[in-house]
Amino acid sequence: MRQEDWVVFVVRDMTLEFLLPARLDDELDVTVESGEWRSASMTFVQRIVRRVDGAVVAGARVRAACIDAVTFKPCRIPNHLFTENPIA
């Protein structure tokens, strides 16, 4: 995106909640889902699940802001990313 659209994404804010302990040998699955899309930011919801029992051990909400790759100032997300959303 930096070379084609001259934009990059940065983490604007994040909420992280640790719900249960995970141990060294636990197999974990990490998922990410697309949340709210705005003109210059998007939200992702992430979960870490313990594979053996399906228990959610942690969850996060991440808001990423789109910024101009040269000036580092906020800018609109390129329109084609709304239609090519690979996470949804």
Side-chain angles (χ1 to χ4, degrees):
M1 286 184 283
R2 181 184 190 115
Q3 294 174 347
E4 293 176 16
D5 298 312
W6 294 95
V7 299
V8 294
F9 286 89
V10 296
V11 173
R12 170 71 170 93
D13 59 69
M14 178 182 212
T15 304
L16 179 59
E17 187 174 19
F18 295 100
L19 303 168
L20 295 170
R23 309 227 188 281
L24 183 61
D25 291 336
D26 285 347
E27 291 185 18
L28 305 172
D29 291 318
V30 179
T31 62
V32 61
E33 295 178 13
S34 179
E36 180 182 10
W37 285 64
R38 302 182 119 188
S39 62
S41 68
M42 63 180 111
T43 303
F44 301 97
V45 178
Q46 297 177 312
R47 292 184 346 150
I48 301 174
V49 178
R50 193 168 41 222
R51 190 174 287 179
V52 68
D53 61 1
V56 178
V57 298
R61 182 188 160 282
V62 181
R63 185 168 46 143
C66 185
I67 62 172
D68 182 284
V70 176
T71 66
F72 279 33
K73 293 185 179 183
C75 65
R76 296 182 69 82
I77 297 171
N79 285 333
H80 71 88
L81 293 181
F82 286 102
T83 58
E84 299 171 9
N85 180 1
I87 296 175

Coordinates of all heavy atoms in Angstrom, one line a residue:
M1 N 0.8 -1.2 0.0 CA 0.0 0.0 0.0 C 0.9 1.3 0.0 O 0.5 2.2 -0.6 CB -0.9 0.0 1.2 CG -2.1 -1.0 1.1 SD -3.2 -0.9 2.4 CE -2.3 -1.7 3.7
R2 N 2.0 1.1 0.6 CA 2.9 2.3 0.7 C 3.3 2.7 -0.7 O 3.3 3.9 -1.1 CB 4.1 2.0 1.6 CG 5.0 3.2 1.7 CD 6.3 2.8 2.5 NE 7.0 4.0 2.8 CZ 7.2 4.6 4.0 NH1 6.7 4.0 5.0 NH2 7.9 5.7 4.1
Q3 N 3.7 1.7 -1.5 CA 4.2 2.1 -2.9 C 3.0 2.3 -3.9 O 3.2 3.2 -4.8 CB 5.0 0.9 -3.4 CG 6.3 0.8 -2.6 CD 7.1 -0.5 -3.0 OE1 6.6 -1.3 -3.7 NE2 8.3 -0.6 -2.5
E4 N 1.9 1.7 -3.7 CA 0.8 1.8 -4.7 C -0.1 3.0 -4.3 O -0.5 3.8 -5.2 CB 0.0 0.6 -4.8 CG 0.8 -0.6 -5.4 CD 0.0 -1.9 -5.4 OE1 -1.2 -1.8 -5.2 OE2 0.6 -2.9 -5.6
D5 N -0.5 3.1 -3.0 CA -1.4 4.1 -2.6 C -0.8 5.3 -1.8 O -1.5 6.2 -1.4 CB -2.5 3.5 -1.8 CG -3.3 2.4 -2.6 OD1 -3.7 2.7 -3.7 OD2 -3.5 1.3 -2.1
W6 N 0.4 5.2 -1.4 CA 1.1 6.1 -0.6 C 0.4 6.3 0.8 O 0.4 7.4 1.3 CB 1.2 7.5 -1.3 CG 2.2 7.4 -2.5 CD1 1.8 7.1 -3.8 CD2 3.6 7.4 -2.5 NE1 2.9 7.0 -4.6 CE2 4.0 7.2 -3.9 CE3 4.5 7.5 -1.5 CZ2 5.3 7.1 -4.2 CZ3 5.9 7.5 -1.9 CH2 6.2 7.3 -3.2
V7 N -0.1 5.2 1.3 CA -0.6 5.2 2.6 C -0.1 4.1 3.4 O 0.4 3.1 2.9 CB -2.2 5.1 2.7 CG1 -2.8 6.3 1.9 CG2 -2.7 3.8 2.1
V8 N -0.1 4.2 4.8 CA 0.3 3.1 5.7 C -0.7 3.2 6.8 O -1.5 4.2 7.0 CB 1.7 3.3 6.2 CG1 2.7 3.1 5.1 CG2 1.9 4.6 6.9
F9 N -0.8 2.1 7.6 CA -1.7 2.0 8.7 C -0.9 2.0 10.0 O 0.1 1.3 10.1 CB -2.6 0.8 8.6 CG -3.7 1.0 7.6 CD1 -3.5 0.6 6.3 CD2 -4.9 1.6 7.9 CE1 -4.4 0.8 5.3 CE2 -5.9 1.7 7.0 CZ -5.6 1.3 5.7
V10 N -1.3 2.7 11.0 CA -0.7 2.7 12.3 C -1.8 2.4 13.4 O -3.0 2.7 13.2 CB 0.0 4.0 12.7 CG1 1.1 4.3 11.7 CG2 -1.0 5.2 12.6
V11 N -1.4 1.7 14.5 CA -2.3 1.5 15.6 C -2.6 2.8 16.3 O -1.7 3.4 16.8 CB -1.7 0.4 16.5 CG1 -2.7 0.2 17.7 CG2 -1.5 -0.9 15.8
R12 N -3.9 3.1 16.3 CA -4.4 4.3 16.9 C -4.6 4.1 18.4 O -4.3 4.9 19.3 CB -5.6 4.9 16.2 CG -6.4 6.0 16.9 CD -5.6 7.3 16.8 NE -6.4 8.4 17.2 CZ -6.4 8.8 18.4 NH1 -5.7 8.3 19.4 NH2 -7.2 9.9 18.8
D13 N -5.3 3.0 18.7 CA -5.6 2.6 20.1 C -5.9 1.1 20.1 O -6.2 0.5 19.1 CB -6.6 3.4 20.8 CG -8.0 3.4 20.1 OD1 -8.6 2.3 20.1 OD2 -8.4 4.4 19.5
M14 N -5.7 0.6 21.3 CA -6.0 -0.9 21.5 C -6.5 -1.1 22.9 O -6.0 -0.6 23.8 CB -4.6 -1.6 21.2 CG -4.7 -3.1 21.4 SD -3.0 -3.7 21.1 CE -3.4 -5.3 20.5
T15 N -7.4 -2.0 22.9 CA -7.9 -2.5 24.2 C -7.6 -4.0 24.2 O -8.0 -4.7 23.3 CB -9.4 -2.3 24.3 OG1 -9.7 -0.9 24.2 CG2 -9.9 -2.7 25.7
L16 N -7.0 -4.5 25.3 CA -6.5 -5.8 25.4 C -7.0 -6.4 26.7 O -6.8 -5.7 27.8 CB -5.0 -5.9 25.3 CG -4.4 -7.3 25.4 CD1 -4.9 -8.2 24.3 CD2 -2.9 -7.1 25.3
E17 N -7.7 -7.5 26.7 CA -8.2 -8.1 27.9 C -7.7 -9.6 28.0 O -7.9 -10.4 27.1 CB -9.8 -8.1 27.8 CG -10.5 -8.5 29.0 CD -12.0 -8.4 29.0 OE1 -12.5 -8.3 27.8 OE2 -12.6 -8.3 30.0
F18 N -7.0 -9.8 29.1 CA -6.6 -11.2 29.4 C -7.6 -11.8 30.3 O -7.9 -11.4 31.4 CB -5.2 -11.1 30.1 CG -4.1 -10.5 29.3 CD1 -3.7 -9.2 29.5 CD2 -3.5 -11.3 28.3 CE1 -2.7 -8.7 28.7 CE2 -2.5 -10.8 27.6 CZ -2.1 -9.5 27.7
L19 N -8.2 -12.9 29.8 CA -9.3 -13.6 30.4 C -8.9 -14.8 31.2 O -9.4 -15.1 32.3 CB -10.4 -13.9 29.4 CG -10.9 -12.7 28.6 CD1 -11.7 -13.2 27.4 CD2 -11.7 -11.8 29.5
L20 N -8.1 -15.6 30.7 CA -7.6 -16.9 31.3 C -6.1 -17.1 31.0 O -5.6 -16.6 30.0 CB -8.4 -18.1 30.7 CG -9.9 -18.2 31.0 CD1 -10.5 -19.3 30.1 CD2 -10.1 -18.4 32.4
P21 N -5.4 -17.8 31.8 CA -4.0 -18.1 31.6 C -3.8 -19.1 30.4 O -4.6 -20.0 30.2 CB -3.5 -18.6 32.9 CG -4.7 -19.2 33.5 CD -5.8 -18.4 33.1
A22 N -2.7 -18.9 29.7 CA -2.3 -19.8 28.7 C -1.0 -20.3 29.2 O -0.1 -19.6 29.7 CB -2.2 -19.2 27.3
R23 N -0.7 -21.6 29.0 CA 0.5 -22.2 29.5 C 1.5 -22.4 28.4 O 1.1 -22.4 27.2 CB 0.2 -23.5 30.2 CG -0.9 -23.4 31.3 CD -0.6 -24.0 32.6 NE -1.7 -24.0 33.5 CZ -2.1 -23.0 34.3 NH1 -1.5 -21.8 34.1 NH2 -3.0 -23.1 35.1
L24 N 2.7 -22.7 28.7 CA 3.8 -22.8 27.7 C 3.5 -23.8 26.6 O 3.7 -23.5 25.4 CB 5.1 -23.2 28.4 CG 6.3 -23.3 27.4 CD1 6.6 -21.9 26.8 CD2 7.5 -23.7 28.2
D25 N 2.9 -25.0 26.9 CA 2.6 -26.0 25.9 C 1.2 -25.9 25.3 O 0.9 -26.7 24.4 CB 2.8 -27.4 26.5 CG 4.3 -27.7 26.8 OD1 5.1 -27.0 26.2 OD2 4.5 -28.5 27.7
D26 N 0.4 -24.9 25.6 CA -0.9 -24.8 25.1 C -0.8 -24.5 23.6 O 0.0 -23.6 23.2 CB -1.7 -23.7 25.8 CG -2.2 -24.1 27.1 OD1 -2.2 -25.3 27.5 OD2 -2.7 -23.2 27.9
E27 N -1.7 -25.1 22.8 CA -1.8 -24.7 21.4 C -2.9 -23.7 21.3 O -4.0 -23.9 21.9 CB -2.2 -26.0 20.5 CG -1.0 -27.0 20.4 CD -1.4 -28.1 19.5 OE1 -2.3 -28.0 18.7 OE2 -0.7 -29.1 19.6
L28 N -2.6 -22.6 20.7 CA -3.6 -21.5 20.6 C -3.9 -21.1 19.2 O -3.1 -21.2 18.3 CB -2.9 -20.2 21.3 CG -2.4 -20.4 22.7 CD1 -1.7 -19.2 23.2 CD2 -3.6 -20.7 23.7
D29 N -5.2 -20.7 19.0 CA -5.6 -20.2 17.7 C -5.9 -18.7 17.9 O -6.5 -18.3 18.8 CB -6.9 -20.9 17.2 CG -6.7 -22.4 16.9 OD1 -5.6 -22.6 16.2 OD2 -7.5 -23.2 17.2
V30 N -5.4 -18.0 16.9 CA -5.6 -16.5 16.9 C -6.5 -16.2 15.8 O -6.2 -16.5 14.6 CB -4.3 -15.7 16.9 CG1 -4.5 -14.2 16.9 CG2 -3.4 -16.2 18.0
T31 N -7.6 -15.4 16.0 CA -8.4 -15.0 14.9 C -8.5 -13.5 14.9 O -8.3 -12.8 15.9 CB -9.9 -15.6 15.1 OG1 -10.4 -15.0 16.3 CG2 -9.9 -17.1 15.2
V32 N -8.8 -13.0 13.7 CA -9.0 -11.6 13.5 C -10.2 -11.4 12.7 O -10.4 -12.1 11.7 CB -7.7 -10.9 13.0 CG1 -7.4 -11.4 11.6 CG2 -7.9 -9.4 12.9
E33 N -11.1 -10.5 13.1 CA -12.3 -10.1 12.3 C -12.3 -8.6 12.0 O -11.9 -7.9 12.9 CB -13.5 -10.6 13.0 CG -13.7 -12.0 13.3 CD -14.9 -12.4 14.1 OE1 -15.8 -11.5 14.2 OE2 -15.0 -13.5 14.5
S34 N -12.8 -8.3 10.9 CA -12.9 -6.9 10.5 C -14.1 -6.3 11.3 O -15.2 -7.0 11.4 CB -13.2 -6.8 9.0 OG -13.3 -5.4 8.7
G35 N -14.0 -5.2 11.9 CA -15.0 -4.5 12.6 C -15.5 -3.3 11.8 O -15.7 -3.4 10.6
E36 N -15.6 -2.2 12.5 CA -16.1 -0.9 11.9 C -15.1 -0.3 10.9 O -13.9 -0.3 11.2 CB -16.5 0.0 13.0 CG -17.0 1.4 12.5 CD -17.3 2.3 13.6 OE1 -16.9 2.0 14.8 OE2 -17.9 3.4 13.4
W37 N -15.5 0.1 9.8 CA -14.7 0.8 8.8 C -15.2 2.3 8.8 O -16.4 2.5 8.6 CB -14.8 0.2 7.4 CG -14.0 -1.1 7.3 CD1 -14.2 -2.2 7.9 CD2 -12.9 -1.3 6.5 NE1 -13.3 -3.2 7.5 CE2 -12.5 -2.6 6.6 CE3 -12.1 -0.5 5.6 CZ2 -11.4 -3.2 6.0 CZ3 -11.1 -1.1 4.9 CH2 -10.7 -2.4 5.1
R38 N -14.3 3.2 8.9 CA -14.6 4.7 8.8 C -13.8 5.2 7.6 O -13.0 4.5 7.0 CB -14.4 5.4 10.1 CG -15.2 4.8 11.2 CD -14.9 5.5 12.5 NE -16.2 6.0 12.9 CZ -16.4 6.9 13.9 NH1 -15.3 7.3 14.5 NH2 -17.5 7.3 14.2
S39 N -13.9 6.5 7.4 CA -13.2 7.0 6.2 C -11.7 7.0 6.4 O -11.0 6.9 5.4 CB -13.7 8.5 6.0 OG -13.4 9.3 7.1
A40 N -11.2 7.1 7.6 CA -9.7 7.1 7.8 C -9.2 6.1 8.9 O -8.1 6.2 9.3 CB -9.3 8.5 8.2
S41 N -10.1 5.2 9.3 CA -9.7 4.2 10.3 C -10.5 3.0 10.2 O -11.6 3.0 9.6 CB -9.8 4.8 11.7 OG -11.1 5.0 12.1
M42 N -10.0 1.9 10.7 CA -10.8 0.6 10.8 C -10.5 -0.1 12.1 O -9.5 0.2 12.7 CB -10.4 -0.2 9.6 CG -9.0 -0.7 9.6 SD -8.6 -1.7 8.2 CE -7.6 -0.6 7.2
T43 N -11.4 -0.9 12.5 CA -11.3 -1.6 13.7 C -11.3 -3.1 13.5 O -11.9 -3.6 12.6 CB -12.5 -1.3 14.6 OG1 -12.6 0.1 14.8 CG2 -12.4 -2.0 16.0
F44 N -10.4 -3.8 14.2 CA -10.3 -5.2 14.1 C -10.6 -5.8 15.5 O -10.2 -5.2 16.5 CB -8.8 -5.7 13.8 CG -8.4 -5.1 12.4 CD1 -7.6 -4.0 12.4 CD2 -8.7 -5.8 11.3 CE1 -7.2 -3.5 11.2 CE2 -8.3 -5.3 10.1 CZ -7.5 -4.1 10.0
V45 N -11.2 -7.0 15.5 CA -11.4 -7.7 16.8 C -10.6 -9.0 16.7 O -10.7 -9.7 15.8 CB -12.9 -8.0 17.0 CG1 -13.1 -8.8 18.2 CG2 -13.7 -6.7 17.0
Q46 N -9.8 -9.2 17.7 CA -8.9 -10.4 17.8 C -9.2 -11.2 19.0 O -9.6 -10.7 20.0 CB -7.4 -9.9 17.8 CG -7.0 -9.2 16.6 CD -5.5 -8.7 16.7 OE1 -5.1 -8.2 17.8 NE2 -4.8 -8.9 15.7
R47 N -9.1 -12.5 18.8 CA -9.3 -13.5 19.9 C -8.2 -14.5 19.9 O -7.8 -15.0 18.9 CB -10.7 -14.2 19.8 CG -11.8 -13.2 20.0 CD -13.2 -13.9 20.0 NE -13.2 -15.3 19.5 CZ -14.1 -16.2 19.8 NH1 -14.9 -15.9 20.7 NH2 -14.0 -17.4 19.3
I48 N -7.8 -14.9 21.1 CA -6.9 -16.0 21.3 C -7.6 -17.1 22.0 O -8.1 -16.9 23.1 CB -5.6 -15.6 22.0 CG1 -4.9 -14.4 21.3 CG2 -4.7 -16.7 22.2 CD1 -3.7 -13.8 22.0
V49 N -7.7 -18.2 21.4 CA -8.5 -19.4 21.9 C -7.6 -20.5 22.2 O -6.8 -20.9 21.3 CB -9.6 -19.7 20.9 CG1 -10.4 -20.9 21.4 CG2 -10.5 -18.5 20.6
R50 N -7.8 -21.1 23.3 CA -7.0 -22.4 23.7 C -7.7 -23.5 22.9 O -8.9 -23.8 23.0 CB -7.1 -22.6 25.2 CG -6.1 -23.7 25.6 CD -6.0 -23.7 27.2 NE -7.2 -23.5 27.8 CZ -7.4 -22.8 28.9 NH1 -6.4 -22.1 29.4 NH2 -8.6 -22.7 29.5
R51 N -6.9 -24.2 22.1 CA -7.4 -25.2 21.2 C -8.0 -26.4 21.9 O -9.0 -26.9 21.5 CB -6.3 -25.7 20.3 CG -6.7 -26.6 19.1 CD -5.6 -26.9 18.2 NE -5.3 -25.7 17.4 CZ -4.4 -25.7 16.4 NH1 -3.7 -26.8 16.2 NH2 -4.2 -24.6 15.8
V52 N -7.5 -26.9 23.0 CA -7.9 -28.1 23.6 C -9.4 -28.0 24.2 O -10.1 -28.9 24.1 CB -7.0 -28.5 24.8 CG1 -7.0 -27.5 25.9 CG2 -7.3 -29.9 25.3
D53 N -9.8 -26.8 24.6 CA -11.1 -26.7 25.2 C -11.9 -25.5 24.6 O -13.1 -25.3 25.0 CB -11.0 -26.5 26.7 CG -10.3 -25.3 27.2 OD1 -9.8 -24.5 26.3 OD2 -10.1 -25.1 28.4
G54 N -11.4 -24.8 23.7 CA -12.1 -23.7 23.0 C -12.3 -22.5 23.9 O -13.0 -21.5 23.6
A55 N -11.6 -22.4 25.0 CA -11.7 -21.3 25.9 C -11.0 -20.0 25.3 O -9.9 -20.1 24.9 CB -11.1 -21.6 27.3
V56 N -11.6 -18.9 25.4 CA -11.0 -17.6 25.0 C -10.1 -17.2 26.1 O -10.6 -16.9 27.2 CB -12.1 -16.6 24.7 CG1 -11.4 -15.3 24.3 CG2 -13.0 -17.0 23.6
V57 N -8.8 -17.1 25.8 CA -7.9 -16.7 26.8 C -7.5 -15.2 26.8 O -7.1 -14.6 27.8 CB -6.6 -17.5 26.8 CG1 -6.8 -19.0 27.0 CG2 -5.8 -17.3 25.5
A58 N -7.8 -14.6 25.6 CA -7.5 -13.1 25.5 C -8.3 -12.6 24.3 O -8.6 -13.3 23.4 CB -6.0 -12.8 25.3
G59 N -8.6 -11.3 24.4 CA -9.3 -10.6 23.3 C -8.8 -9.2 23.2 O -8.3 -8.6 24.2
A60 N -8.9 -8.7 22.0 CA -8.4 -7.3 21.7 C -9.3 -6.6 20.7 O -9.9 -7.3 19.9 CB -6.9 -7.4 21.2
R61 N -9.3 -5.3 20.9 CA -10.0 -4.5 19.9 C -8.9 -3.5 19.5 O -8.3 -2.8 20.3 CB -11.2 -3.7 20.5 CG -11.9 -2.9 19.6 CD -13.0 -2.0 20.3 NE -13.3 -0.9 19.5 CZ -12.6 0.3 19.4 NH1 -11.5 0.4 20.0 NH2 -13.1 1.3 18.7
V62 N -8.6 -3.5 18.2 CA -7.5 -2.6 17.6 C -8.1 -1.6 16.6 O -8.8 -2.1 15.7 CB -6.4 -3.5 17.0 CG1 -5.3 -2.6 16.4 CG2 -5.9 -4.6 17.9
R63 N -7.8 -0.4 16.8 CA -8.2 0.6 15.8 C -7.0 1.1 15.1 O -6.0 1.6 15.7 CB -8.9 1.8 16.4 CG -9.5 2.8 15.4 CD -10.4 3.8 15.9 NE -9.9 4.4 17.1 CZ -10.1 5.7 17.5 NH1 -10.8 6.5 16.6 NH2 -9.7 6.2 18.6
A64 N -7.0 0.9 13.8 CA -5.8 1.3 13.0 C -6.2 2.6 12.1 O -7.3 2.6 11.6 CB -5.4 0.2 12.0
A65 N -5.3 3.5 12.1 CA -5.6 4.8 11.4 C -4.8 4.8 10.1 O -3.6 4.3 10.0 CB -5.2 6.0 12.2
C66 N -5.4 5.3 9.0 CA -4.7 5.4 7.7 C -4.0 6.8 7.7 O -4.6 7.8 8.0 CB -5.7 5.3 6.6 SG -5.0 5.4 5.0
I67 N -2.7 6.7 7.4 CA -1.9 8.0 7.3 C -1.2 8.0 6.0 O -0.9 7.0 5.4 CB -0.9 8.1 8.5 CG1 0.1 7.0 8.5 CG2 -1.7 8.2 9.8 CD1 1.2 7.3 9.5
D68 N -0.9 9.2 5.6 CA -0.1 9.5 4.4 C 1.3 9.0 4.6 O 1.9 9.3 5.7 CB -0.1 11.0 4.1 CG 0.7 11.3 2.8 OD1 1.9 11.3 2.9 OD2 0.0 11.6 1.8
A69 N 1.9 8.2 3.7 CA 3.2 7.6 3.9 C 4.3 8.6 3.9 O 5.4 8.3 4.4 CB 3.4 6.5 2.8
V70 N 4.1 9.8 3.4 CA 5.2 10.8 3.3 C 5.0 11.8 4.5 O 6.0 12.0 5.2 CB 5.1 11.5 2.0 CG1 6.2 12.7 2.0 CG2 5.4 10.6 0.8
T71 N 3.8 12.3 4.7 CA 3.7 13.3 5.7 C 3.3 12.8 7.1 O 3.4 13.5 8.1 CB 2.6 14.3 5.3 OG1 1.3 13.6 5.3 CG2 2.9 14.9 4.0
F72 N 2.9 11.5 7.2 CA 2.4 10.9 8.4 C 1.2 11.6 9.0 O 0.9 11.5 10.2 CB 3.5 10.7 9.4 CG 4.4 9.6 9.2 CD1 4.7 9.1 7.9 CD2 5.0 8.9 10.2 CE1 5.5 8.0 7.7 CE2 5.8 7.8 10.0 CZ 6.1 7.4 8.7
K73 N 0.4 12.2 8.2 CA -0.8 12.9 8.6 C -2.0 12.0 8.2 O -2.0 11.3 7.2 CB -1.0 14.3 8.0 CG 0.0 15.2 8.5 CD -0.2 16.6 7.9 CE 0.9 17.6 8.5 NZ 0.7 18.9 8.1
P74 N -3.1 12.0 9.0 CA -4.3 11.2 8.7 C -4.8 11.5 7.3 O -4.8 12.6 6.8 CB -5.3 11.6 9.8 CG -4.5 12.2 10.9 CD -3.3 12.8 10.2
C75 N -5.3 10.4 6.7 CA -5.9 10.5 5.3 C -6.9 9.5 5.1 O -7.0 8.5 5.9 CB -4.8 10.5 4.2 SG -4.0 8.9 4.1
R76 N -7.7 9.6 4.1 CA -8.8 8.7 3.8 C -8.2 7.3 3.4 O -7.2 7.3 2.7 CB -9.7 9.2 2.7 CG -10.4 10.5 3.1 CD -11.4 11.0 2.0 NE -12.5 10.1 1.8 CZ -13.6 10.1 2.6 NH1 -13.7 10.9 3.6 NH2 -14.6 9.2 2.3
I77 N -8.9 6.3 3.8 CA -8.6 5.0 3.3 C -8.9 4.9 1.8 O -10.0 5.3 1.4 CB -9.4 3.9 4.0 CG1 -9.0 3.9 5.5 CG2 -9.1 2.5 3.4 CD1 -9.8 3.0 6.4
P78 N -8.0 4.4 0.9 CA -8.3 4.3 -0.5 C -9.6 3.5 -0.7 O -9.8 2.5 -0.1 CB -7.1 3.6 -1.1 CG -6.0 3.9 -0.1 CD -6.6 4.0 1.2
N79 N -10.4 4.0 -1.6 CA -11.7 3.4 -1.9 C -11.6 1.9 -2.2 O -12.5 1.1 -1.8 CB -12.5 4.1 -3.0 CG -13.0 5.4 -2.5 OD1 -13.3 5.6 -1.3 ND2 -13.2 6.3 -3.4
H80 N -10.6 1.5 -3.0 CA -10.5 0.1 -3.4 C -10.3 -0.9 -2.2 O -10.7 -2.0 -2.3 CB -9.4 -0.1 -4.5 CG -8.0 0.0 -4.0 ND1 -7.4 -1.1 -3.4 CD2 -7.2 1.0 -3.9 CE1 -6.2 -0.7 -3.1 NE2 -6.0 0.6 -3.3
L81 N -9.8 -0.4 -1.1 CA -9.7 -1.2 0.1 C -11.0 -1.6 0.7 O -11.2 -2.6 1.4 CB -8.8 -0.6 1.1 CG -7.3 -0.4 0.7 CD1 -6.5 0.2 1.8 CD2 -6.7 -1.8 0.3
F82 N -12.0 -0.7 0.5 CA -13.4 -1.0 1.0 C -14.0 -2.2 0.2 O -14.7 -3.0 0.8 CB -14.3 0.2 1.0 CG -13.9 1.3 2.0 CD1 -13.2 2.4 1.7 CD2 -14.3 1.1 3.3 CE1 -12.9 3.3 2.6 CE2 -14.0 2.0 4.3 CZ -13.3 3.2 3.9
T83 N -13.7 -2.2 -1.1 CA -14.3 -3.3 -1.9 C -13.5 -4.5 -1.9 O -14.0 -5.6 -2.3 CB -14.5 -2.7 -3.3 OG1 -13.3 -2.3 -3.9 CG2 -15.5 -1.6 -3.4
E84 N -12.2 -4.4 -1.6 CA -11.3 -5.6 -1.6 C -11.0 -6.0 -0.2 O -9.9 -6.6 0.0 CB -10.0 -5.2 -2.3 CG -10.2 -4.9 -3.8 CD -8.9 -4.3 -4.4 OE1 -7.9 -4.4 -3.8 OE2 -9.0 -3.8 -5.5
N85 N -11.9 -5.8 0.7 CA -11.6 -6.1 2.1 C -11.4 -7.6 2.3 O -12.3 -8.4 2.3 CB -12.8 -5.7 3.0 CG -12.6 -5.9 4.5 OD1 -11.6 -6.5 4.9 ND2 -13.6 -5.6 5.3
P86 N -10.1 -8.1 2.5 CA -9.8 -9.5 2.6 C -10.2 -10.1 3.9 O -10.2 -11.4 4.0 CB -8.3 -9.6 2.3 CG -7.8 -8.3 2.9 CD -8.9 -7.3 2.6
I87 N -10.4 -9.4 4.9 CA -10.6 -9.9 6.3 C -12.1 -10.2 6.5 O -12.5 -11.1 7.2 CB -10.1 -9.0 7.3 CG1 -8.6 -8.9 7.2 CG2 -10.4 -9.4 8.7 CD1 -7.9 -7.9 8.1
A88 N -13.0 -9.4 5.8 CA -14.4 -9.6 6.1 C -14.9 -10.9 5.7 O -14.4 -11.6 4.9 CB -15.2 -8.5 5.4

